[in-house]
Amino acid sequence: MKKLRFITGIAALLSTAVAVNLLVWQQTALMSLAWGLLVAGAVLGVVWVLQVIFGLAGSAGWEGWAAGGVNATLSTLFFLGICIVLYVFAAQWDGSWDLTQEGRRKLAPQTIQVLQSMNQEVEVVCLFLRTDDELVWIAQDKTTRFLELCQKYSGLLKVEVLDPQVEMHRLEAMKVPIVSPQGTIVIRAGNRQRVVTLAGGSPRLEERDFTNALINVLRDRQPKAYFLTGHKEREITDDNAQTGGSAFGNILLSESYAVDRLLIKLSDPEIPVDCDVLIINNPLGDLNSLELQAIDAYLNRGGRLMILLEPWISVTNGLGQSEQLRPWLEDRFGIAVGSDMVISTERKPIYRIELRNQDKAFADIDDGFMEFNGAFNKTHGITSSFDQVMLLQTARSVAAAESVPKGVVVSELLRSTPDYWAETDLAGLQEKGTAVHHTEEKGGPVSLAAAAVRQSDVLDETGQPFSSRVIVVGDADFATNGQLTAAEIPGHLNFLMNSIAWLVERQDLIAIRASGKTDPPLVLSTGEERAIVWVSTLMTLQLVIGVGLVVYVLRRKYR
């Protein structure tokens, strides 16, 4: 009788264990073999329980250790039943945690500002095909998680997920003829719409793409930026990583600016009336008086100007002409641009300047400690919350002049560490590669960029004087294609675009932009997925039960 009871119990355990392992490994409930084994295990288990009960009743009744054995048996079966029920609920619960760096990160400050400043409803329609492609599942999951995070900052953001194969009429209404197999996101506000197509080996809705699209649909009009030409400036049509300026133009386009080139005709020198900001990017020659008169007239009407200047070894002028641009800036806007290069013999290379918001080099100086946070002006809108590193390869001094014109307010934005100075012997520096700091040369910290606001004598339609804004930076290489797109130096992009936003008075765009740094998804094979589920659910439990059975058998054998 005991031998039969033992065989029945072992058979019940093995049948149940094999059935449960098959169900978990195959991840499907439609297995006749597994369910047959599970039913057989249940029947054998009932037979085994009855044998135990009758055996105990016939030998020792319900007293002593017999009753305790029955109680332990029933408790064990009851516990296993609870475990099975909990497993069924857990298998049906569609919950997960994104523990990747991308899943844990917070929204960029600019994204939050744009969301919080929304004054109209924005509809985000996510178009994902129903497919077995795991990359599409990952893209949809990450997209919906990201948009749920965005909705926490604005109740005006409405999100909808559609299957384009089912909702063909919605695609026609939105005028979206082609949908990417990996996902397409449509952002709509009023009559404005932007479409973001997901693609690549790791498709996802990038935060920067979403924020740029959101800016586009929320804007009533596109501010227009003109890039001056005619002095060998850095061209927005040049794709060269080291010398080109196409990235500058493309980034402006992505943030809903219109972009064009401008050559001021000497026969009719004027700035177009639709110019919202004029950009002079690294001119290799000086401007002439007629061009400056046209720019001055434009600024008197409330124009905005950005100038990026590399140190000039020499300035080419016509016979009998003097330098024009730098004296004009100082006379009209109180911005003194030095004919120098900011260097340090304590650094290698001597012309490279690293700017950061916290630097021990500033600890021993008092000059500007209330106004600056490290290298950045903490009182100006452009740099007040700036916390990123900038690396300037060569720069000249740009500071507030000793005498600032009436009606002009000048703010210095960037400064070097104290060990730099403004070297004026550029020819000697170019020839020898070394320099000595003379007492008459400006010592550090040296200002590298300045912004000015000027009240014009010209009145607008309401009778108020126009207000013009100017930014001058003593470096231009930080705005090249390679520098603006370098993920390891996001400070260049953020400083440049914050400056443009300040010029056109878009305070909601002055913030740190989202980076494109993401973790690639880990795509598992079907066997790997099943192995992880089996290890996390059954292996540990079966090991514990197996060890318990071994201990039980050994104790009975050697008792």
Side-chain angles (χ1 to χ4, degrees), residues 20 107 321 347 408 415 497:
V20 172
L107 293 181
Q321 291 185 349
R347 310 278 179 138
V408 177
R415 65 176 182 174
M497 296 309 296

Side-chain angles (χ1 to χ4, degrees), residues 126-129 131 133-141 143 164 179-185 196-205:
C126 307
L127 303 172
F128 288 100
L129 297 168
T131 175
D133 189 344
E134 191 166 6
L135 286 177
V136 177
W137 297 352
I138 293 173
Q140 180 175 344
D141 183 61
T143 298
V179 176
S180 169
Q182 296 172 311
T184 300
I185 313 300
V196 179
T197 301
L198 309 188
S202 178
R204 55 171 53 82
L205 176 60

Side-chain angles (χ1 to χ4, degrees), residues 28 181 217 259 288 427-428 541:
T28 177
V217 300
V259 175
N288 62 52
L541 176 62

Side-chain angles (χ1 to χ4, degrees), residues 336-449:
V337 180
S339 180
D340 51 37
M341 182 182 292
V342 180
I343 63 172
S344 170
T345 54
E346 298 181 19
R347 310 278 179 138
K348 299 296 180 182
I350 64 174
Y351 51 80
R352 176 174 170 173
I353 309 172
E354 181 175 336
L355 308 178
R356 58 177 67 245
N357 64 341
Q358 298 292 339
D359 197 316
K360 295 180 180 179
F362 293 104
D364 298 329
I365 67 168
D366 296 327
D367 182 33
F369 78 99
M370 290 292 291
E371 186 180 359
F372 276 81
N373 182 17
F376 305 109
N377 188 326
K378 64 183 180 182
T379 65
H380 197 277
I382 296 175
T383 52
S384 59
S385 59
F386 210 81
D387 61 353
Q388 298 184 325
V389 177
M390 296 180 65
L391 296 174
L392 308 185
Q393 295 301 320
T394 56
R396 66 196 305 164
S397 65
V398 178
E402 295 182 2
S403 177
V404 176
K406 183 180 179 181
V408 177
V409 177
V410 181
S411 300
E412 296 176 350
L413 302 177
L414 308 174
R415 65 176 182 174
S416 72
T417 49
D419 54 296
Y420 285 83
W421 77 89
E423 175 60 46
T424 56
D425 185 10
L426 300 186
L429 178 63
Q430 185 182 35
E431 180 181 350
K432 301 176 183 177
T434 60
V436 178
H437 183 196
H438 297 96
T439 55
E440 66 272 12
E441 294 173 328
K442 185 184 300 183
V446 180
S447 178
L448 305 169

